[in-house]
Amino acid sequence: MTQEEIFDVIIIGGGAAGLSAGIYSSRARLSTLILNEGAIGGQMVLTEEVANYPGVESTKGYLLANTMKNQAKQFGCKIKSNLQIKSYDLKGEIKHVVLEDGREFSSRTVILSPGGRPRPLGIPGEEEFKGKGISYCATCDGDFFTRKEVIVVGGGNSALEEAVALTQYAKKVTIVHQFDHFQAFQHAIDQAKENPEIEFIMESELRSFKGKGALQEVTLEHLPTGEISSMKIDGLFIFVGYIPNTGDLEGIVKLNERKEIVVDEGMKTSLPGVFAAGDCIVKRFRQISTAVADGTIASLSAAEFLRS
Ligand SMILES: Cc1cc2nc3c(=O)[nH]c(=O)nc-3n(C[C@H](O)[C@H](O)[C@H](O)COP(=O)(O)OP(=O)(O)OC[C@H]3O[C@@H](n4cnc5c(N)ncnc54)[C@H](O)[C@@H]3O)c2cc1C
């Protein structure tokens, strides 16, 4: 089935970035369609409590997502969820997006905001304790571990910087890393090593998570000896990489070596009329507020592009 209408803006992904772009575009009277794989709201829906979004004292992630969705709809934004995109044709003046079920949508501009996901360790118990002691975001969840003992897994810049940040809350932070050295900038290594609240367990990997209702204990393997030990713990933060949801955009827009979409300060991608926003772009800090800002900028740039 081919849809006749040519939208001004099609937004791929309905998380914080996509919904913000949807609010701005539809409020600017641009005909706007959000195409979202899965449930609307993206990672916000996975977040039990959001306590750091300005203007909202503390709320459930799904409630914030719902408010953004309703706000976009009130301005006339169309939203289609639980769908799968089959292919893109974004080069021409009119862009085309084809879904797996055969539906096709066209527009003059496209905003890509498919988000991403933290790379999991992939070991037993990780899924069960996600949000119940296991976190992938120190900025979001650090406060829940005030005066508690936590583990940070990883040896890159994020792991070391977030471990230092976590010492504002936790009384003890133990970094567990698989190698005998870190793959981080020297200043990040120095800062972590100079911090008296940080301890290190090197050449070790986590093997399992245990607890009743919430994480209480982990088992570790010391790689050179194969020795297995257990450790009581209140929380665990995993920083072993991040996976942008850009697999289907390779060869379509310019990505960097980490598969993040390359944009300029106006959120313009390598293709005219195609913009990108949120966790999928090249950036250092991935938060709801930064995704909202990116979505806003992408929408305003798309409007400017349409006017020109
Ligand atoms: C557990 C957890 C807790 C967090 N807590 C906080 C917090 O307390 N405060 C804070 O500010 N930030 C927090 N964050 C980070 C924050 O949620 C993200 O930075 C932000 O929501 C990213 O928004 P986004 O729109 O860029 O991407 P996402 O939220 O990832 O949304 C992308 C959307 O696009 C859809 N999608 C993906 N691929 C496609 C495709 N090919 N076609 C169509 N749709 C697609 C996805 O299904 C999803 O709905 C947390 C993150 C996690 C994982």
Side-chain angles (χ1 to χ4, degrees), residues 131-303:
K132 295 173 188 154
I134 295 184
S135 170
Y136 303 83
C137 178
T139 317
C140 323
D141 298 331
D143 189 37
F144 301 129
F145 297 95
T146 300
R147 287 185 287 283
K148 303 244 166 108
E149 297 194 10
V150 300
I151 284 178
V152 165
V153 184
N157 286 313
S158 292
L160 295 182
E161 286 167 13
E162 300 298 341
V164 171
L166 279 166
T167 60
Q168 294 169 65
Y169 311 102
K171 68 174 177 205
K172 186 174 149 201
V173 177
T174 305
I175 297 178
V176 175
H177 186 41
Q178 60 187 163
F179 301 123
D180 63 356
H181 61 278
F182 293 109
Q183 304 99 321
F185 294 130
Q186 194 55 45
H187 68 85
I189 299 173
D190 293 343
Q191 273 192 341
K193 287 195 169 164
E194 283 160 15
N195 192 310
E197 276 138 46
I198 297 181
E199 289 186 5
F200 300 89
I201 299 180
M202 304 300 284
E203 296 184 271
S204 297
E205 282 183 356
L206 279 122
R207 289 289 171 249
S208 67
F209 302 112
K210 292 177 190 161
K212 286 202 177 96
L215 180 69
Q216 291 164 326
E217 190 179 325
V218 296
T219 54
L220 294 147
E221 180 178 347
H222 183 241
L223 299 174
T225 60
E227 194 185 311
I228 301 285
S229 60
S230 20
M231 191 171 159
K232 299 264 181 229
I233 202 75
D234 300 306
L236 183 128
F237 288 81
I238 300 172
F239 301 109
V240 294
Y242 179 81
I243 311 171
N245 295 326
T246 53
D248 57 354
L249 294 167
E250 275 191 69
I252 295 178
V253 287
K254 188 175 174 196
L255 307 179
N256 70 2
E257 66 289 352
R258 290 189 298 276
K259 310 291 179 210
E260 298 157 336
I261 303 174
V262 177
V263 289
D264 69 5
E265 74 278 6
M267 302 295 145
K268 290 178 197 148
T269 70
S270 54
L271 278 184
V274 181
F275 305 85
D279 279 14
C280 63
I281 66 168
V282 180
K283 68 197 254 189
R284 166 77 179 91
F285 299 110
R286 293 185 162 88
Q287 288 287 282
I288 298 169
S289 54
T290 60
V292 162
D294 296 343
T296 304
I297 296 168
S299 165
L300 295 174
S301 292

Side-chain angles (χ1 to χ4, degrees), residues 12-18 35-39 41-44 46-47 49-52 83 85 88 113-116 118 137 140-141 245 248 277-280 286-289 291:
I12 307 297
L35 296 174
N36 186 59
E37 222 178 71
Q43 293 172 66
M44 281 190 289
L46 307 175
T47 310
E49 188 191 347
V50 178
N52 56 4
L83 48 82
I85 290 171
Y88 299 96
S113 52
C137 178
C140 323
D141 298 331
N245 295 326
D248 57 354
D279 279 14
C280 63
R286 293 185 162 88
Q287 288 287 282
I288 298 169
S289 54

